[in-house]
Amino acid sequence: MDDDAHLVVGYVLGSTDPEMARLAATSRLYGAMTGAWLDAAGVGPGMRVADLGCGPGDVTLAAARCVGPTGSVVGVDDAARPLDRARRRARDEHLETVTFEQGDVLSWEPAEPLDAVVGRFILMHLPDPVAAVVRAAELVRPGGIVAFADVALTTRGSLPELPLLTASKGWFIETLRRAGRSVDMALRLAAVFHAAGLPDPVLTSAAPAERGGDAVGWSIVAGDVTSSLPVIERTGVTTAAEIGPDTFEQRLRAQAAAHDAVLLNPLVVGASARTPLSRA
Ligand SMILES: C[S@@+](CC[C@H](N)C(=O)[O-])C[C@H]1O[C@@H](n2cnc3c(N)ncnc32)[C@H](O)[C@@H]1O
């Protein structure tokens, strides 16, 4: 953990409307990969599933489609705002098997034993990801599924290199490091599962590439910076005046369009394993 980690406690990205839009863009890019990860994990009809750090519910709803009408999925998050949005979406999709509960992923208790615990883009935000995976494994029945997906932020890049992308990548990564968070959790998942006492996980991955100024990924790059702006400033990485958050995305897209840049969105890896059939 970085020396400056004491500067930040809690979640770095907040739950503003722009942050909800950033998560929606992320889900568009990684929706297919998320389906493949849940599928490889074995999330299937009739299962009882929890989605930890569910945010606005994309993974919760994807899991609900996997488990069908005979299964159930509960989404858990400690922030009220994304949960409101998630509940609305589940209602709109008439998914009656889905519920949402407010709670901390490290202390939340399910009403009944689960077949699977999943979570996307949550471990990187937790000070002790191994403890979270240990906790997830305790919540499932023997032989149950533990599945987490996360991102490797250092793998994001473009050709040609764009000055605004290079700068913003540096700001975001340095901020997370100073906050004591992992910037490359995607590549650490196997080690985290091992440290949590689980078997070697099955891994699935995606790093979508897009071309030009209209790429979806530019709004995620801009959202990373604007959503974490209070923490960027608090950790002393840079200032709002240098970032220019109101015009940041527009300037980034203009640079991308001017150079017909190809954006390599960051690698996301999904890991899954089954808990032992008998507890040691
Ligand atoms: C980056 S978002 C990911 C949301 C969702 N899983 C997705 O993939 O779109 C992380 C979410 O985890 C929640 N979160 C962070 N720390 C948490 C904790 N200790 N307990 C419960 N939720 C937490 C945040 O409120 C946020 O909604």
Side-chain angles (χ1 to χ4, degrees):
M1 190 178 285
D2 192 283
D3 283 348
D4 297 321
H6 65 280
L7 284 169
V8 178
V9 278
Y11 181 53
V12 169
L13 290 161
S15 55
T16 58
D17 282 347
E19 170 57 11
M20 295 300 102
R22 187 192 71 88
L23 285 174
T26 305
S27 283
R28 279 214 299 289
L29 268 182
Y30 295 101
M33 181 267 155
T34 297
W37 159 60
L38 293 176
D39 201 36
V43 176
M47 286 187 172
R48 292 153 303 172
V49 181
D51 174 21
L52 301 185
C54 66
D58 286 278
V59 174
T60 325
L61 301 189
R65 289 177 213 114
C66 295
V67 303
T70 57
S72 64
V73 188
V74 53
V76 181
D77 203 287
D78 64 2
R81 213 149 171 228
L83 287 177
D84 287 345
R85 188 172 289 243
R87 286 190 183 101
R88 261 200 316 277
R89 296 177 68 199
R91 262 199 311 275
D92 290 349
E93 288 199 31
H94 306 288
L95 286 169
E96 281 156 20
T97 56
V98 175
T99 52
F100 292 94
E101 294 179 19
Q102 192 164 2
D104 189 298
V105 297
L106 288 174
S107 53
W108 175 79
E109 298 271 357
E112 52 183 354
L114 299 163
D115 299 299
V117 170
V118 305
R120 188 182 70 175
F121 307 142
I122 176 68
L123 291 184
M124 67 173 286
H125 294 292
L126 300 175
D128 188 348
V130 174
V133 176
V134 168
R135 178 73 191 140
E138 286 168 357
L139 299 180
V140 297
R141 62 168 167 79
I145 297 165
V146 175
F148 286 94
D150 229 303
V151 65
L153 289 168
T154 56
T155 61
R156 181 187 267 151
S158 74
L159 196 72
E161 241 181 68
L162 300 179
L164 271 183
L165 177 62
T166 306
S168 60
K169 180 176 166 181
W171 297 328
F172 190 48
I173 285 177
E174 183 56 20
T175 298
L176 288 168
R177 284 200 173 124
R178 289 190 190 188
R181 304 301 189 254
S182 170
V183 300
D184 277 330
M185 182 52 74
L187 300 174
R188 296 182 191 280
L189 286 170
V192 168
F193 273 53
H194 181 74
L198 288 171
D200 281 348
V202 174
L203 302 178
T204 49
S205 59
E210 304 179 277
R211 178 181 172 197
D214 292 333
V216 173
W218 299 121
S219 57
I220 302 172
V221 175
D224 285 349
V225 171
T226 48
S227 289
S228 61
L229 185 54
V231 186
I232 288 179
E233 291 203 293
R234 202 167 137 207
T235 49
V237 170
T238 186
T239 60
E242 188 180 349
I243 295 171
D246 296 343
T247 58
F248 186 83
E249 182 171 342
Q250 192 190 330
R251 285 180 286 126
L252 187 61
R253 285 187 183 281
Q255 278 186 7
H259 297 279
D260 193 19
V262 170
L263 169 63
L264 180 64
N265 288 288
L267 174 75
V268 170
V269 175
S272 59
R274 286 192 180 259
T275 59
L277 281 171
S278 58
R279 307 254 189 235

